[in-house]
Amino acid sequence: MSTVFTDETRARAREIIARYPADRSRSALLPLLHLVQSEEGYVSPAGVAFCAEVLGLNKAQVGAVASFYTMYKRRPTGDWLVSVCTNTMCNVLGGQEVYDTLAEHLGVGHDETTEDGKITLEHAECLAACDYGPVMTVNYDFFDGVDPQTAVGLVDELRAGGRPAPSRGARLCTLKEMSIQLAGFADEREGAVADGVPGEPSLRGLRLAQQHGVSAPGFDPNTPIRSGQAGAKPAPSTPPKAAPTGSTAPDVPAPDRKSPQVRTAETRQPDAKTAVPDAPGTKVPTDGAAPAPRDAQAAQAAGAAANKPAGDAKPAGDNAEAQERNLSEAESTGGGTANDKGAQK
């Protein structure tokens, strides 16, 4: 299927792959996908097979990448991809109305193409231009502050063969022309770049800085950034260790070093009978004497009996045979616990 691609596309594919180290050729997959889209107008199954062939990958690997990024179109797409932002800010400013008007005017819905193959319409979650909203893009070039009427005028001009000037950025190019640029090849059209100017909202911060005399301090990128004033001693990398106390107890962080979550958990009071560890004048109860082995055995047996039998009709819990043996050995040695017996062993 990859034979549908021209010799020029194959030559460009080799040029793209040559940009990467020999053992990293699969890194060329993204520009190669743009390359095949520049010839067919979308990433077709033949395009996936072509990329897999020249990179030595399987089609599943290529398809996984092509279906992940929205800039790779998986169905035939028009010359002009019109994206209307319908996210929060643009929506409040009328973005949804712009989209609905275009959908009705063009007779298409989201990710659908007009019958003449000229325009594909899509709604976008965010076009990263909230200060210009509502915005729409044509092949990712911005048209700022649109309304339903101006949007309809733009698509009509595109369908008539015109190329309206974006609010910011270079001159419009078709989806195929854009894809060849994203593959890493220059746009040969006359005046293709340097047409656009920055918008006033983008320059607002600069204007305020100039108005109030704010500027960044001089900085030589070859000079390391100092952590303090000139002549100041550098801060120690680690806090000094406390003097030894002779105790063998492990170090415990001070209470003020505990996280809020830990302190909250430690100071909870489940009921009125439970003392709060951090409350002044309270004494935290300590464990009393360990229960006798037979009492522990009876408690364990009662717990196992209370459990619902598992699916194999056996009592839930572990096999008690080893526990019985340990308890018997503990009683024969003077009432020690099974853990004590284990430690002696």
Side-chain angles (χ1 to χ4, degrees):
M1 296 178 65
S2 59
T3 55
V4 300
F5 292 97
T6 64
D7 292 339
E8 181 183 10
T9 298
R10 289 181 171 275
R12 282 178 164 171
R14 290 191 294 269
E15 182 179 340
I16 291 173
I17 295 171
R19 300 171 188 166
Y20 300 89
D23 59 342
R24 295 290 186 271
S25 62
R26 67 169 55 194
S27 298
L29 178 55
L30 296 182
L32 281 175
L33 287 168
H34 285 299
L35 178 67
V36 298
Q37 184 164 273
S38 72
E39 182 161 333
E40 294 190 296
Y42 72 113
V43 179
S44 67
V48 170
F50 174 81
C51 293
E53 173 193 331
V54 297
L55 291 178
L57 303 175
N58 60 53
K59 290 185 285 188
Q61 291 172 308
V62 176
V65 174
S67 60
F68 181 82
Y69 296 101
T70 58
M71 291 184 77
Y72 301 123
K73 302 304 176 184
R74 300 309 306 275
R75 65 177 70 181
T77 303
D79 292 335
W80 310 106
L81 175 66
V82 175
S83 309
V84 181
C85 182
T86 57
N87 212 330
T88 306
M89 182 60 72
C90 284
N91 199 359
V92 168
L93 296 173
Q96 187 65 50
E97 184 181 357
V98 172
Y99 175 82
D100 292 341
T101 300
L102 286 179
E104 182 178 358
H105 179 71
L106 297 172
V108 296
H110 170 65
D111 202 24
E112 294 180 351
T113 304
T114 55
E115 292 184 359
D116 58 8
K118 296 283 187 181
I119 293 178
T120 296
L121 179 66
E122 68 176 7
H123 68 77
E125 281 301 311
C126 183
L127 293 176
C130 299
D131 46 352
Y132 295 96
V135 296
M136 59 180 278
T137 60
V138 178
N139 291 339
Y140 308 113
D141 279 316
F142 282 96
F143 290 86
D144 304 325
V146 296
D147 56 37
Q149 290 71 34
T150 57
V152 168
L154 285 170
V155 296
D156 285 346
E157 186 176 350
L158 291 170
R159 299 180 81 178
R163 297 198 182 195
S167 302
R168 294 170 285 131
R171 296 182 183 179
L172 283 185
C173 57
T174 66
L175 182 72
K176 292 182 178 181
E177 292 169 342
M178 178 193 71
S179 296
I180 198 64
Q181 296 172 52
L182 293 175
F185 297 95
D187 186 352
E188 303 296 342
R189 295 177 299 137
E190 182 180 355
V193 295
D195 270 355
V197 295
E200 191 58 33
S202 298
L203 297 174
R204 181 59 178 159
L206 176 62
R207 300 278 189 263
L208 288 172
Q210 293 173 338
Q211 179 182 349
H212 296 282
V214 179
S215 62
F219 172 68
D220 182 358
N222 297 319
T223 302
I225 300 176
R226 297 178 179 178
S227 59
Q229 296 180 352
K233 295 182 179 180
S237 57
T238 56
K241 293 183 178 180
T245 61
S247 171
T248 58
D251 292 336
V252 179
D256 58 348
R257 292 176 55 191
K258 297 178 182 178
S259 69
Q261 293 84 357
V262 172
R263 292 187 62 81
T264 300
E266 290 178 345
T267 57
R268 283 178 180 156
Q269 191 169 357
D271 53 61
K273 297 180 181 179
T274 303
V276 180
D278 287 353
T282 59
K283 182 178 180 181
V284 180
T286 58
D287 294 336
R294 283 296 170 188
D295 292 339
Q297 180 185 15
Q300 191 275 340
N307 289 335
K308 186 178 180 180
D312 55 3
K314 296 180 181 178
D318 297 332
N319 189 332
E321 182 178 353
Q323 296 177 6
E324 291 275 358
R325 183 173 62 254
N326 289 338
L327 287 171
S328 298
E329 292 177 356
E331 288 181 338
S332 66
T333 58
T337 63
N339 286 338
D340 292 338
K341 184 66 177 178
Q344 294 173 7
K345 288 183 179 180

